[in-house]
């Protein structure tokens, strides 16, 4: 029997009288692509927030990675333990180049790692030194994914990776997701 890479049990998040996430439980197995679906406002982004504690943790429930509890861990420690995420909006440092955006994620680690993950997501090498704010949305999404991958996660949480993309871009995003899984990372 395989051990889940990520387990969520009874996750809930309330903001005063509003319950955004209520008693959510699931397991993600190593190498699995696992989807969370629901309409706008249903709590998908909040679920990612409480799993990663960026910017807040759950009101109740538990998260484990490889059977180890995330309880009491900071968002930074959770990230370093193997859970990385992207955001619904393309959060990039718009004045920095693509390569510098990824280097921010890996801090003082080698430039080679930044180039490796940009290549993994198919980001054009000719655009590595272009300001991130000047590239189209699809490339900003690729850049955000590469920045998360630079942390060497075992699971990547992607919040609406195909939103605002065209049909051909959505097909390319699907290929990126399959490539990520093919590299041994659960999505």
């Amino acid at each position: 029997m395989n051990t889940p890479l990520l387990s969520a049990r009874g996750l809930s998040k309330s903001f005063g009288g509003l319950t955004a996430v209520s008693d959510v439980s699931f397991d993600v197995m190593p190498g699995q692509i696992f989807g969370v679906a629901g309409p706008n406002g249903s709590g998908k982004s909040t679920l990612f927030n409480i799993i990663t504690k960026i910017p807040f943790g759950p009101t109740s429930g538990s998260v484990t990675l490889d059977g180890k509890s995330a309880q009491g861990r900071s968002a930074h420690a959770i990230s370093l333990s193997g859970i990385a995420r992207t955001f619904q909006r393309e959060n990039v440092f718009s004045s920095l180049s693509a390569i510098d955006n990824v280097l921010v994620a890996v801090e003082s680690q080698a430039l080679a790692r930044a180039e490796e993950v940009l290549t993994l997501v198919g980001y054009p090498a000719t655009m590595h030194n272009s300001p991130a704010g000047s590239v189209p949305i699809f490339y900003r999404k690729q850049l955000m994914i590469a920045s998360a991958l630079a942390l060497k996660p075992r699971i990547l949480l992607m919040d609406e990776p195909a939103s605002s993309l065209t049909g051909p871009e959505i097909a390319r995003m699907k290929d990126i997701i399959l490539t990520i899984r093919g590299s041994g990372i659960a999505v």
Side-chain angles (χ1 to χ4, degrees):
M1 182 170 150
N2 288 345
T3 302
L5 177 60
L6 177 72
S7 281
R9 293 290 174 264
L11 288 179
S12 296
K13 181 65 181 177
S14 297
F15 300 95
L18 172 70
T19 300
V21 173
S22 179
D23 196 29
V24 174
S25 298
F26 60 87
D27 292 324
V28 179
M29 304 308 286
Q32 182 179 16
I33 295 176
F34 183 89
V36 177
N40 289 340
S42 64
K44 300 179 302 292
S45 294
T46 301
L47 178 63
F48 282 10
N49 292 343
I50 62 179
I51 289 170
T52 61
K53 294 188 179 175
I54 300 171
F56 45 74
T59 303
S60 62
S62 64
V63 174
T64 59
L65 181 67
D66 278 336
K68 297 176 187 151
S69 175
Q71 182 85 21
R73 289 186 185 179
S74 68
H76 182 73
I78 290 170
S79 176
L80 292 177
S81 73
I83 301 174
R85 72 167 296 182
T86 65
F87 295 86
Q88 195 169 0
R89 292 198 165 171
E90 302 73 49
N91 292 329
V92 297
F93 297 103
S94 59
S95 64
L96 296 180
S97 67
I99 201 83
D100 287 339
N101 264 271
V102 178
L103 285 170
V104 166
V106 294
E107 298 173 2
S108 62
Q109 292 182 19
L111 177 62
R113 178 66 182 160
E115 291 173 341
E116 175 187 345
V117 294
L118 284 169
T119 300
L120 179 70
V121 300
Y123 197 91
T126 57
M127 295 171 53
H128 282 194
N129 292 309
S130 300
S134 69
V135 300
I137 190 169
F138 179 76
Y139 296 110
R140 290 193 309 267
K141 286 184 178 283
Q142 280 183 299
L143 180 53
M144 193 168 45
I145 294 165
S147 294
L149 291 173
L151 297 170
K152 299 181 180 180
R154 289 178 292 147
I155 184 166
L156 176 62
L157 307 179
M158 300 176 74
D159 195 347
E160 297 196 28
S163 67
S164 303
L165 298 182
T166 65
E169 290 169 338
I170 290 169
R172 289 174 64 195
M173 184 59 70
K174 176 185 171 191
D175 291 341
I176 290 169
I177 292 168
L178 292 172
T179 298
I180 292 167
R181 183 192 52 189
S183 74
I185 299 169
V187 181

mmCIF file of all heavy atoms in Angstrom, residues 86 90-92 98 101-102 114 117-125 127-128 135-150 156 158 161 165 169 172-173 175-176 180:
data_model
loop_
_atom_site.group_PDB
_atom_site.id
_atom_site.type_symbol
_atom_site.label_atom_id
_atom_site.label_comp_id
_atom_site.label_asym_id
_atom_site.label_seq_id
_atom_site.Cartn_x
_atom_site.Cartn_y
_atom_site.Cartn_z
ATOM 1 N N THR A 86 1.657 27.835 -6.802
ATOM 2 C CA THR A 86 1.509 29.022 -7.633
ATOM 3 C C THR A 86 0.233 29.708 -7.184
ATOM 4 O O THR A 86 -0.543 29.151 -6.392
ATOM 5 C CB THR A 86 1.416 28.681 -9.135
ATOM 6 O OG1 THR A 86 0.219 27.946 -9.377
ATOM 7 C CG2 THR A 86 2.637 27.877 -9.590
ATOM 8 N N GLU A 90 -0.897 36.088 -11.697
ATOM 9 C CA GLU A 90 0.508 35.930 -12.068
ATOM 10 C C GLU A 90 1.354 36.842 -11.191
ATOM 11 O O GLU A 90 1.585 38.000 -11.527
ATOM 12 C CB GLU A 90 0.735 36.270 -13.547
ATOM 13 C CG GLU A 90 -0.088 35.439 -14.494
ATOM 14 C CD GLU A 90 -1.553 35.840 -14.482
ATOM 15 O OE1 GLU A 90 -1.878 37.029 -14.587
ATOM 16 O OE2 GLU A 90 -2.393 34.940 -14.341
ATOM 17 N N ASN A 91 1.804 36.335 -10.064
ATOM 18 C CA ASN A 91 2.629 37.099 -9.134
ATOM 19 C C ASN A 91 4.095 36.960 -9.516
ATOM 20 O O ASN A 91 4.733 35.973 -9.185
ATOM 21 C CB ASN A 91 2.427 36.602 -7.691
ATOM 22 C CG ASN A 91 1.049 36.913 -7.182
ATOM 23 O OD1 ASN A 91 0.467 37.904 -7.569
ATOM 24 N ND2 ASN A 91 0.534 36.066 -6.322
ATOM 25 N N VAL A 92 4.588 37.953 -10.232
ATOM 26 C CA VAL A 92 5.998 37.987 -10.599
ATOM 27 C C VAL A 92 6.552 39.346 -10.203
ATOM 28 O O VAL A 92 5.806 40.298 -9.984
ATOM 29 C CB VAL A 92 6.212 37.745 -12.117
ATOM 30 C CG1 VAL A 92 5.732 36.359 -12.527
ATOM 31 C CG2 VAL A 92 5.535 38.810 -12.966
ATOM 32 N N ALA A 98 13.196 37.297 -16.093
ATOM 33 C CA ALA A 98 12.681 35.957 -15.782
ATOM 34 C C ALA A 98 13.675 35.189 -14.929
ATOM 35 O O ALA A 98 13.321 34.594 -13.913
ATOM 36 C CB ALA A 98 12.383 35.200 -17.077
ATOM 37 N N ASN A 101 13.703 36.448 -11.421
ATOM 38 C CA ASN A 101 12.512 36.031 -10.692
ATOM 39 C C ASN A 101 12.710 34.644 -10.096
ATOM 40 O O ASN A 101 12.366 34.398 -8.950
ATOM 41 C CB ASN A 101 11.277 36.027 -11.613
ATOM 42 C CG ASN A 101 10.474 37.280 -11.524
ATOM 43 O OD1 ASN A 101 9.576 37.403 -10.712
ATOM 44 N ND2 ASN A 101 10.818 38.253 -12.370
ATOM 45 N N VAL A 102 13.266 33.739 -10.861
ATOM 46 C CA VAL A 102 13.493 32.380 -10.373
ATOM 47 C C VAL A 102 14.606 32.373 -9.327
ATOM 48 O O VAL A 102 14.517 31.677 -8.316
ATOM 49 C CB VAL A 102 13.792 31.404 -11.526
ATOM 50 C CG1 VAL A 102 14.076 30.006 -10.991
ATOM 51 C CG2 VAL A 102 12.610 31.358 -12.503
ATOM 52 N N ALA A 114 17.992 27.760 -11.834
ATOM 53 C CA ALA A 114 17.000 28.666 -12.421
ATOM 54 C C ALA A 114 16.818 28.362 -13.907
ATOM 55 O O ALA A 114 15.684 28.270 -14.403
ATOM 56 C CB ALA A 114 17.412 30.118 -12.201
ATOM 57 N N VAL A 117 14.840 24.949 -14.411
ATOM 58 C CA VAL A 117 13.378 24.946 -14.251
ATOM 59 C C VAL A 117 12.691 25.801 -15.313
ATOM 60 O O VAL A 117 11.577 25.481 -15.737
ATOM 61 C CB VAL A 117 12.935 25.346 -12.821
ATOM 62 C CG1 VAL A 117 13.374 24.291 -11.814
ATOM 63 C CG2 VAL A 117 13.413 26.724 -12.425
ATOM 64 N N LEU A 118 13.354 26.854 -15.784
ATOM 65 C CA LEU A 118 12.776 27.623 -16.894
ATOM 66 C C LEU A 118 12.702 26.746 -18.142
ATOM 67 O O LEU A 118 11.712 26.775 -18.871
ATOM 68 C CB LEU A 118 13.594 28.887 -17.162
ATOM 69 C CG LEU A 118 13.383 30.022 -16.173
ATOM 70 C CD1 LEU A 118 14.439 31.113 -16.360
ATOM 71 C CD2 LEU A 118 11.988 30.612 -16.292
ATOM 72 N N THR A 119 13.722 25.944 -18.370
ATOM 73 C CA THR A 119 13.714 25.014 -19.502
ATOM 74 C C THR A 119 12.637 23.949 -19.320
ATOM 75 O O THR A 119 11.921 23.611 -20.269
ATOM 76 C CB THR A 119 15.103 24.362 -19.667
ATOM 77 O OG1 THR A 119 16.057 25.403 -19.913
ATOM 78 C CG2 THR A 119 15.115 23.355 -20.803
ATOM 79 N N LEU A 120 12.488 23.432 -18.094
ATOM 80 C CA LEU A 120 11.488 22.397 -17.816
ATOM 81 C C LEU A 120 10.083 22.859 -18.202
ATOM 82 O O LEU A 120 9.305 22.092 -18.759
ATOM 83 C CB LEU A 120 11.517 22.002 -16.334
ATOM 84 C CG LEU A 120 10.508 20.937 -15.906
ATOM 85 C CD1 LEU A 120 10.880 19.574 -16.497
ATOM 86 C CD2 LEU A 120 10.435 20.842 -14.396
ATOM 87 N N VAL A 121 9.754 24.122 -17.915
ATOM 88 C CA VAL A 121 8.408 24.621 -18.231
ATOM 89 C C VAL A 121 8.325 25.210 -19.634
ATOM 90 O O VAL A 121 7.282 25.712 -20.030
ATOM 91 C CB VAL A 121 7.898 25.635 -17.182
ATOM 92 C CG1 VAL A 121 7.836 25.004 -15.810
ATOM 93 C CG2 VAL A 121 8.716 26.923 -17.175
ATOM 94 N N GLY A 122 9.419 25.143 -20.386
ATOM 95 C CA GLY A 122 9.393 25.601 -21.771
ATOM 96 C C GLY A 122 9.517 27.098 -21.956
ATOM 97 O O GLY A 122 9.162 27.633 -23.010
ATOM 98 N N TYR A 123 10.031 27.796 -20.950
ATOM 99 C CA TYR A 123 10.181 29.249 -21.061
ATOM 100 C C TYR A 123 11.305 29.549 -22.050
ATOM 101 O O TYR A 123 12.408 29.033 -21.909
ATOM 102 C CB TYR A 123 10.499 29.849 -19.686
ATOM 103 C CG TYR A 123 10.283 31.344 -19.604
ATOM 104 C CD1 TYR A 123 9.052 31.846 -19.203
ATOM 105 C CD2 TYR A 123 11.291 32.235 -19.925
ATOM 106 C CE1 TYR A 123 8.841 33.206 -19.120
ATOM 107 C CE2 TYR A 123 11.090 33.598 -19.847
ATOM 108 C CZ TYR A 123 9.866 34.082 -19.446
ATOM 109 O OH TYR A 123 9.651 35.437 -19.364
ATOM 110 N N PRO A 124 11.048 30.384 -23.065
ATOM 111 C CA PRO A 124 12.057 30.625 -24.103
ATOM 112 C C PRO A 124 13.355 31.220 -23.551
ATOM 113 O O PRO A 124 13.327 32.225 -22.835
ATOM 114 C CB PRO A 124 11.373 31.624 -25.043
ATOM 115 C CG PRO A 124 9.916 31.513 -24.748
ATOM 116 C CD PRO A 124 9.810 31.121 -23.304
ATOM 117 N N ALA A 125 14.468 30.615 -23.897
ATOM 118 C CA ALA A 125 15.777 31.095 -23.434
ATOM 119 C C ALA A 125 16.038 32.525 -23.890
ATOM 120 O O ALA A 125 16.697 33.289 -23.185
ATOM 121 C CB ALA A 125 16.884 30.159 -23.930
ATOM 122 N N MET A 127 14.113 34.848 -23.783
ATOM 123 C CA MET A 127 13.378 35.787 -22.925
ATOM 124 C C MET A 127 13.851 35.737 -21.472
ATOM 125 O O MET A 127 13.284 36.415 -20.626
ATOM 126 C CB MET A 127 11.877 35.485 -23.015
ATOM 127 C CG MET A 127 11.312 35.747 -24.400
ATOM 128 S SD MET A 127 9.611 35.170 -24.615
ATOM 129 C CE MET A 127 8.751 35.933 -23.273
ATOM 130 N N HIS A 128 14.877 34.971 -21.169
ATOM 131 C CA HIS A 128 15.342 34.841 -19.786
ATOM 132 C C HIS A 128 15.719 36.184 -19.168
ATOM 133 O O HIS A 128 15.564 36.376 -17.967
ATOM 134 C CB HIS A 128 16.533 33.891 -19.696
ATOM 135 C CG HIS A 128 16.154 32.459 -19.752
ATOM 136 N ND1 HIS A 128 17.025 31.459 -19.402
ATOM 137 C CD2 HIS A 128 15.007 31.832 -20.128
ATOM 138 C CE1 HIS A 128 16.436 30.282 -19.563
ATOM 139 N NE2 HIS A 128 15.224 30.487 -20.006
ATOM 140 N N VAL A 135 6.236 40.564 -20.458
ATOM 141 C CA VAL A 135 5.916 39.375 -21.248
ATOM 142 C C VAL A 135 4.421 39.052 -21.132
ATOM 143 O O VAL A 135 3.783 39.404 -20.142
ATOM 144 C CB VAL A 135 6.781 38.160 -20.830
ATOM 145 C CG1 VAL A 135 8.264 38.469 -21.028
ATOM 146 C CG2 VAL A 135 6.506 37.726 -19.421
ATOM 147 N N PRO A 136 3.863 38.366 -22.128
ATOM 148 C CA PRO A 136 2.440 38.001 -22.081
ATOM 149 C C PRO A 136 2.109 37.086 -20.897
ATOM 150 O O PRO A 136 2.981 36.444 -20.314
ATOM 151 C CB PRO A 136 2.217 37.268 -23.413
ATOM 152 C CG PRO A 136 3.311 37.743 -24.305
ATOM 153 C CD PRO A 136 4.491 37.992 -23.402
ATOM 154 N N ILE A 137 0.828 36.998 -20.593
ATOM 155 C CA ILE A 137 0.329 36.275 -19.419
ATOM 156 C C ILE A 137 0.800 34.820 -19.381
ATOM 157 O O ILE A 137 1.173 34.313 -18.332
ATOM 158 C CB ILE A 137 -1.206 36.376 -19.312
ATOM 159 C CG1 ILE A 137 -1.685 35.837 -17.978
ATOM 160 C CG2 ILE A 137 -1.896 35.670 -20.449
ATOM 161 C CD1 ILE A 137 -3.141 36.136 -17.680
ATOM 162 N N PHE A 138 0.795 34.131 -20.529
ATOM 163 C CA PHE A 138 1.211 32.729 -20.539
ATOM 164 C C PHE A 138 2.641 32.584 -20.021
ATOM 165 O O PHE A 138 2.932 31.696 -19.226
ATOM 166 C CB PHE A 138 1.088 32.130 -21.940
ATOM 167 C CG PHE A 138 1.536 30.692 -22.005
ATOM 168 C CD1 PHE A 138 0.713 29.683 -21.504
ATOM 169 C CD2 PHE A 138 2.775 30.354 -22.523
ATOM 170 C CE1 PHE A 138 1.127 28.351 -21.533
ATOM 171 C CE2 PHE A 138 3.192 29.030 -22.563
ATOM 172 C CZ PHE A 138 2.367 28.034 -22.067
ATOM 173 N N TYR A 139 3.517 33.472 -20.436
ATOM 174 C CA TYR A 139 4.909 33.412 -19.994
ATOM 175 C C TYR A 139 5.049 33.776 -18.514
ATOM 176 O O TYR A 139 5.894 33.219 -17.818
ATOM 177 C CB TYR A 139 5.793 34.297 -20.868
ATOM 178 C CG TYR A 139 5.844 33.812 -22.296
ATOM 179 C CD1 TYR A 139 5.238 34.536 -23.308
ATOM 180 C CD2 TYR A 139 6.471 32.619 -22.617
ATOM 181 C CE1 TYR A 139 5.268 34.085 -24.621
ATOM 182 C CE2 TYR A 139 6.506 32.153 -23.925
ATOM 183 C CZ TYR A 139 5.900 32.892 -24.924
ATOM 184 O OH TYR A 139 5.919 32.434 -26.212
ATOM 185 N N ARG A 140 4.208 34.677 -18.028
ATOM 186 C CA ARG A 140 4.233 34.986 -16.596
ATOM 187 C C ARG A 140 3.784 33.775 -15.787
ATOM 188 O O ARG A 140 4.317 33.501 -14.720
ATOM 189 C CB ARG A 140 3.380 36.223 -16.294
ATOM 190 C CG ARG A 140 4.004 37.500 -16.834
ATOM 191 C CD ARG A 140 3.367 38.761 -16.294
ATOM 192 N NE ARG A 140 1.932 38.834 -16.400
ATOM 193 C CZ ARG A 140 1.263 39.395 -17.404
ATOM 194 N NH1 ARG A 140 1.909 39.944 -18.419
ATOM 195 N NH2 ARG A 140 -0.049 39.433 -17.398
ATOM 196 N N LYS A 141 2.807 33.037 -16.306
ATOM 197 C CA LYS A 141 2.385 31.810 -15.632
ATOM 198 C C LYS A 141 3.516 30.777 -15.636
ATOM 199 O O LYS A 141 3.780 30.129 -14.623
ATOM 200 C CB LYS A 141 1.120 31.234 -16.271
ATOM 201 C CG LYS A 141 -0.133 32.029 -15.919
ATOM 202 C CD LYS A 141 -1.366 31.379 -16.497
ATOM 203 C CE LYS A 141 -2.624 32.114 -16.121
ATOM 204 N NZ LYS A 141 -3.059 31.854 -14.761
ATOM 205 N N GLN A 142 4.192 30.625 -16.763
ATOM 206 C CA GLN A 142 5.333 29.715 -16.825
ATOM 207 C C GLN A 142 6.404 30.119 -15.814
ATOM 208 O O GLN A 142 6.990 29.270 -15.144
ATOM 209 C CB GLN A 142 5.969 29.740 -18.220
ATOM 210 C CG GLN A 142 5.266 28.929 -19.271
ATOM 211 C CD GLN A 142 6.038 28.994 -20.565
ATOM 212 O OE1 GLN A 142 6.216 30.071 -21.138
ATOM 213 N NE2 GLN A 142 6.512 27.848 -21.034
ATOM 214 N N LEU A 143 6.636 31.401 -15.722
ATOM 215 C CA LEU A 143 7.643 31.922 -14.804
ATOM 216 C C LEU A 143 7.276 31.642 -13.352
ATOM 217 O O LEU A 143 8.115 31.238 -12.542
ATOM 218 C CB LEU A 143 7.818 33.421 -15.042
ATOM 219 C CG LEU A 143 8.818 34.154 -14.186
ATOM 220 C CD1 LEU A 143 10.173 33.476 -14.219
ATOM 221 C CD2 LEU A 143 8.916 35.593 -14.653
ATOM 222 N N MET A 144 5.992 31.813 -13.025
ATOM 223 C CA MET A 144 5.531 31.532 -11.667
ATOM 224 C C MET A 144 5.706 30.040 -11.349
ATOM 225 O O MET A 144 6.132 29.677 -10.251
ATOM 226 C CB MET A 144 4.057 31.957 -11.531
ATOM 227 C CG MET A 144 3.557 32.006 -10.130
ATOM 228 S SD MET A 144 1.932 32.821 -9.942
ATOM 229 C CE MET A 144 0.968 32.130 -11.259
ATOM 230 N N ILE A 145 5.410 29.188 -12.310
ATOM 231 C CA ILE A 145 5.586 27.739 -12.119
ATOM 232 C C ILE A 145 7.073 27.415 -11.947
ATOM 233 O O ILE A 145 7.450 26.662 -11.047
ATOM 234 C CB ILE A 145 4.972 26.957 -13.298
ATOM 235 C CG1 ILE A 145 3.453 27.131 -13.321
ATOM 236 C CG2 ILE A 145 5.347 25.476 -13.227
ATOM 237 C CD1 ILE A 145 2.798 26.705 -14.629
ATOM 238 N N ALA A 146 7.922 28.002 -12.787
ATOM 239 C CA ALA A 146 9.360 27.751 -12.686
ATOM 240 C C ALA A 146 9.896 28.200 -11.328
ATOM 241 O O ALA A 146 10.712 27.505 -10.716
ATOM 242 C CB ALA A 146 10.103 28.471 -13.815
ATOM 243 N N SER A 147 9.417 29.332 -10.832
ATOM 244 C CA SER A 147 9.859 29.820 -9.519
ATOM 245 C C SER A 147 9.481 28.837 -8.420
ATOM 246 O O SER A 147 10.270 28.585 -7.506
ATOM 247 C CB SER A 147 9.262 31.198 -9.234
ATOM 248 O OG SER A 147 9.777 32.144 -10.136
ATOM 249 N N ALA A 148 8.280 28.266 -8.509
ATOM 250 C CA ALA A 148 7.862 27.260 -7.519
ATOM 251 C C ALA A 148 8.703 25.991 -7.657
ATOM 252 O O ALA A 148 9.124 25.402 -6.655
ATOM 253 C CB ALA A 148 6.375 26.943 -7.682
ATOM 254 N N LEU A 149 8.976 25.577 -8.887
ATOM 255 C CA LEU A 149 9.769 24.363 -9.114
ATOM 256 C C LEU A 149 11.217 24.524 -8.661
ATOM 257 O O LEU A 149 11.870 23.538 -8.319
ATOM 258 C CB LEU A 149 9.731 23.967 -10.588
ATOM 259 C CG LEU A 149 8.385 23.467 -11.112
ATOM 260 C CD1 LEU A 149 8.442 23.266 -12.618
ATOM 261 C CD2 LEU A 149 7.963 22.193 -10.394
ATOM 262 N N ALA A 150 11.705 25.752 -8.642
ATOM 263 C CA ALA A 150 13.078 25.991 -8.208
ATOM 264 C C ALA A 150 13.294 25.547 -6.758
ATOM 265 O O ALA A 150 14.416 25.261 -6.355
ATOM 266 C CB ALA A 150 13.428 27.468 -8.367
ATOM 267 N N LEU A 156 3.410 20.156 -6.273
ATOM 268 C CA LEU A 156 3.199 21.524 -6.711
ATOM 269 C C LEU A 156 1.699 21.797 -6.747
ATOM 270 O O LEU A 156 0.966 21.138 -7.478
ATOM 271 C CB LEU A 156 3.807 21.754 -8.099
ATOM 272 C CG LEU A 156 3.561 23.130 -8.719
ATOM 273 C CD1 LEU A 156 4.176 24.241 -7.860
ATOM 274 C CD2 LEU A 156 4.118 23.172 -10.138
ATOM 275 N N MET A 158 -1.103 24.136 -7.949
ATOM 276 C CA MET A 158 -1.265 25.143 -8.997
ATOM 277 C C MET A 158 -2.679 25.706 -8.925
ATOM 278 O O MET A 158 -3.641 24.983 -9.157
ATOM 279 C CB MET A 158 -1.001 24.527 -10.369
ATOM 280 C CG MET A 158 0.403 23.961 -10.507
ATOM 281 S SD MET A 158 0.669 23.123 -12.082
ATOM 282 C CE MET A 158 0.767 24.532 -13.164
ATOM 283 N N PRO A 161 -4.147 27.336 -13.101
ATOM 284 C CA PRO A 161 -3.045 27.602 -14.021
ATOM 285 C C PRO A 161 -3.480 27.983 -15.433
ATOM 286 O O PRO A 161 -2.717 28.611 -16.158
ATOM 287 C CB PRO A 161 -2.263 26.284 -14.030
ATOM 288 C CG PRO A 161 -3.264 25.245 -13.656
ATOM 289 C CD PRO A 161 -4.189 25.937 -12.687
ATOM 290 N N LEU A 165 -6.106 32.046 -20.249
ATOM 291 C CA LEU A 165 -5.309 31.568 -21.374
ATOM 292 C C LEU A 165 -6.195 31.236 -22.571
ATOM 293 O O LEU A 165 -7.370 30.909 -22.418
ATOM 294 C CB LEU A 165 -4.508 30.325 -20.975
ATOM 295 C CG LEU A 165 -3.481 30.493 -19.862
ATOM 296 C CD1 LEU A 165 -2.745 29.177 -19.623
ATOM 297 C CD2 LEU A 165 -2.504 31.613 -20.167
ATOM 298 N N GLU A 169 -2.860 27.976 -25.647
ATOM 299 C CA GLU A 169 -2.067 28.132 -24.427
ATOM 300 C C GLU A 169 -2.487 27.119 -23.364
ATOM 301 O O GLU A 169 -1.650 26.598 -22.627
ATOM 302 C CB GLU A 169 -2.188 29.553 -23.877
ATOM 303 C CG GLU A 169 -1.504 30.591 -24.742
ATOM 304 C CD GLU A 169 -1.831 32.016 -24.356
ATOM 305 O OE1 GLU A 169 -2.884 32.260 -23.710
ATOM 306 O OE2 GLU A 169 -1.033 32.906 -24.697
ATOM 307 N N ARG A 172 -0.803 23.962 -24.154
ATOM 308 C CA ARG A 172 0.608 24.034 -23.738
ATOM 309 C C ARG A 172 0.731 23.885 -22.223
ATOM 310 O O ARG A 172 1.660 23.245 -21.737
ATOM 311 C CB ARG A 172 1.233 25.350 -24.213
ATOM 312 C CG ARG A 172 1.439 25.372 -25.721
ATOM 313 C CD ARG A 172 1.916 26.697 -26.240
ATOM 314 N NE ARG A 172 3.243 27.051 -25.715
ATOM 315 C CZ ARG A 172 3.756 28.277 -25.795
ATOM 316 N NH1 ARG A 172 3.069 29.247 -26.384
ATOM 317 N NH2 ARG A 172 4.953 28.525 -25.315
ATOM 318 N N MET A 173 -0.224 24.469 -21.473
ATOM 319 C CA MET A 173 -0.199 24.342 -20.015
ATOM 320 C C MET A 173 -0.390 22.882 -19.616
ATOM 321 O O MET A 173 0.260 22.389 -18.691
ATOM 322 C CB MET A 173 -1.267 25.227 -19.371
ATOM 323 C CG MET A 173 -1.241 25.226 -17.853
ATOM 324 S SD MET A 173 0.325 25.794 -17.127
ATOM 325 C CE MET A 173 0.278 27.530 -17.535
ATOM 326 N N ASP A 175 0.557 20.325 -21.317
ATOM 327 C CA ASP A 175 1.850 19.682 -21.566
ATOM 328 C C ASP A 175 2.843 19.992 -20.449
ATOM 329 O O ASP A 175 3.622 19.120 -20.045
ATOM 330 C CB ASP A 175 2.423 20.128 -22.913
ATOM 331 C CG ASP A 175 1.644 19.588 -24.100
ATOM 332 O OD1 ASP A 175 0.890 18.597 -23.934
ATOM 333 O OD2 ASP A 175 1.781 20.156 -25.203
ATOM 334 N N ILE A 176 2.833 21.213 -19.946
ATOM 335 C CA ILE A 176 3.727 21.591 -18.848
ATOM 336 C C ILE A 176 3.396 20.764 -17.610
ATOM 337 O O ILE A 176 4.287 20.240 -16.941
ATOM 338 C CB ILE A 176 3.628 23.106 -18.554
ATOM 339 C CG1 ILE A 176 4.255 23.907 -19.697
ATOM 340 C CG2 ILE A 176 4.290 23.445 -17.210
ATOM 341 C CD1 ILE A 176 3.976 25.399 -19.632
ATOM 342 N N ILE A 180 5.840 18.192 -15.703
ATOM 343 C CA ILE A 180 6.145 18.294 -14.268
ATOM 344 C C ILE A 180 5.927 16.939 -13.594
ATOM 345 O O ILE A 180 6.785 16.452 -12.854
ATOM 346 C CB ILE A 180 5.312 19.399 -13.602
ATOM 347 C CG1 ILE A 180 5.745 20.772 -14.117
ATOM 348 C CG2 ILE A 180 5.415 19.331 -12.078
ATOM 349 C CD1 ILE A 180 4.798 21.899 -13.767
#
